[in-house]
Amino acid sequence: MNRGIYGLNSQFATTPRELLGRPAPIYVIDNAGHPEAIDWANRVRRNGGEVSAQTLAAVNQFCADIDAARIRDKIFRLNLFVGSNLSACLVPLFLGPSLAGIRYGNATDINVNFVAADYSEAGPSSGLSGNGSTKYLNTGYPVNTTLSSNAHLAIGLTRTETQTGYRAAIGASSTQDSDELSISTRRGDSTSYCAIFGRYFTASEQAGEVVQSVPLGVGNLIASYPSFYRNGVRTGVNATAARAGTRTTALTVFAFNGGTVVNGHSNCRLNWYSFGAAITADQVLNFQLAISAFNTTLVRT
Amino acid sequence: MTLSDVELPVSSEWARDHALVFSPALAQRLAELHAVHGSSNLVPMPRALTDGRLMLCADVLTEVMPGGLLHAMWAAADQAVLLPSVEVIAWADAVALLPPEPTWG
């Protein structure tokens, strides 16, 4: 199979599509291209999507900003939910703490029941929209990849939950019914903080804002043990303890993976997610600046 | 109403307001078709209802036309068996039949 032709005439060169039948152009690294952005664009192409020049330039800058903030090795998996179509948005930008190192989770997010109309790259409805009943992503990322006391989970929440009960933006339990990592958009019990680093019924193992009577508000939200941050600023309570189990249950997005059953489906809208090691308050602020600049460039809200 | 009564293509708006309900046996057949003709870019995984049946949001029908992520699977299915075996009901009615979500967590 013809895998394409390299071209080096512009910053993000591609070949004419009809030159040799219909090759799949391969993006190449020239002096201005970030290798992780190029690698991601090629993986998107192989997954059946496309990347516009504008999007690739924005991703390129995001990668540079993350490097400059010195937090790249803390991000083990990140998906910005961008690209031309649903297949494109299932390809995470980062699959491990470095381009050449170990990879965590599936090569792409396994899409359970999202359809094309649920996805928008830019504009006022950017990202993926859950329906609170059937749709979620399976990342394959083992919930016990790091200790809970050395973990971060993060999301770009662009539409709030409208359902009651337990609803998860990200979550999985590493033992049956406890020892979970999660960010909830809504919860049902009295100890109902939005980020859990252990047992759902133990307040000391939770952080952030109360989401029992009101849903989690929109924003770039980062749970990094022991704290929770909204748009780069710490908010709510801190956890004082954490627990991590031994199961390798995969973190799911838009629902909670209990191991034997996936439930707690959320009808929120998300335009990015991230998992990895814990990051400091200064690192959170730089992460927020990089995400915010990326979303501003692509006009994503 | 069954899928035999639905004219494709369907609009997203109509599709989101309806659910496809079917038996576990049919769900197994759909899983077999997906294993051969589908990909992880869209896995139509139904949820169990309290009456023993399974359901999907009908918006998966927006992916069965040519170019859709489920077209190959759809084309390989025995339409004569599939269409009358899938009941189409209002989305709200299907959601009412889902098991209650946990209030803890």
Side-chain angles (χ1 to χ4, degrees), chain B residues 28-39 69 72-74 76-77:
Chain B
Q28 176 61 33
R29 178 60 189 141
L30 292 174
E32 293 168 356
L33 283 170
H34 183 269
V36 176
H37 300 285
S39 78
L69 291 171
M73 179 179 162
W74 177 261

Side-chain angles (χ1 to χ4, degrees), chain A residues 101-123:
Chain A
I102 190 170
R103 296 195 165 191
Y104 296 100
N106 307 321
T108 62
D109 291 332
I110 297 176
N111 168 22
V112 180
N113 296 328
F114 283 104
V115 297
D118 296 323
Y119 170 66
S120 177
E121 183 180 48

Side-chain angles (χ1 to χ4, degrees), chain B residues 61-98:
Chain B
L61 294 176
T62 62
E63 295 285 350
V64 302
M65 302 305 288
L69 291 171
L70 298 179
H71 174 66
M73 179 179 162
W74 177 261
D78 184 341
Q79 305 287 320
V81 171
L82 174 67
L83 297 186
S85 301
V86 177
E87 186 179 358
V88 181
I89 66 175
W91 175 248
D93 292 343
V95 171
L97 290 173
L98 286 171

Side-chain angles (χ1 to χ4, degrees), chain B residues 7-11 14 18 22-23 28 40 55 60-61 65-66 69 73 83 87 101-104:
Chain B
E7 184 174 336
L8 296 176
V10 296
S11 70
W14 179 92
H18 292 83
F22 43 91
S23 68
Q28 176 61 33
S40 64
M55 81 92 162
V60 294
L61 294 176
M65 302 305 288
L69 291 171
M73 179 179 162
L83 297 186
E87 186 179 358
E101 298 289 349
T103 57
W104 47 261

